[in-house]
Amino acid sequence: QVQLVESGGGLVQVGGSLRLSCVVSGRTFSRFAMGWFRQAPGGERVVVATIAWNGLRTSYADSVKGRFTISRDNPKNTVYLQMNSVKPEDTAVYYCGIESHPYGLGTHRSSFSDSWGQGTQVTVSS
């Protein structure tokens, strides 16, 4: 059974930076597209960024383009989200997700599994 463990969240001031990490176990990490999602209080879980299984394709929500960068380190079974120039609207619980089937691009929200970690809270103060 796949397990995802997010870390790196915290309190950050507007304009600051954070790097989130997600370690994956129970699956051959290098074969699967990964994504970062976030859920604000009272809101739905929405996609923030995705990265293809081979790392050659990434995609971003319009709200974070140019500020966030997703990357992966396959030997470490880890996916990262570098968050720069954060804004108050970035405040949310951040989750990483993994696609259900291997060798995907991570381009469709529906292709991600229902396996989630505990999430990591990011709070941006103004």
Side-chain angles (χ1 to χ4, degrees):
Q1 185 173 350
V2 64
Q3 290 188 322
L4 305 100
V5 180
E6 301 94 341
S7 63
L11 178 64
V12 59
Q13 291 188 333
V14 169
S17 298
L18 277 177
R19 188 174 82 153
L20 308 183
S21 302
C22 172
V23 179
V24 179
S25 60
R27 193 168 291 184
T28 305
F29 175 79
S30 60
R31 298 179 184 177
F32 290 85
M34 297 294 299
W36 281 98
F37 300 76
R38 68 186 181 188
Q39 187 167 16
E44 296 184 350
R45 192 168 300 181
V46 297
V47 64
V48 174
T50 66
I51 185 166
W53 71 277
N54 56 9
L56 296 181
R57 187 186 189 284
T58 57
S59 65
Y60 298 90
D62 288 343
S63 58
V64 306
K65 280 182 182 176
R67 300 188 297 121
F68 291 8
T69 303
I70 188 171
S71 61
R72 63 190 299 156
D73 186 337
N74 286 344
K76 293 184 178 180
N77 285 5
T78 302
V79 60
Y80 302 98
L81 185 68
Q82 178 67 43
M83 306 170 61
N84 297 330
S85 303
V86 297
K87 303 176 180 180
E89 51 264 42
D90 295 324
T91 295
V93 179
Y94 284 72
Y95 302 87
C96 67
I98 187 168
E99 277 201 328
S100 299
H101 302 289
Y103 306 119
L105 299 178
T107 52
H108 298 289
R109 171 67 177 89
S110 60
S111 67
F112 282 82
S113 77
D114 289 329
S115 297
W116 303 98
Q118 81 289 350
T120 187
Q121 174 71 47
V122 172
T123 303
V124 181
S125 64
S126 56

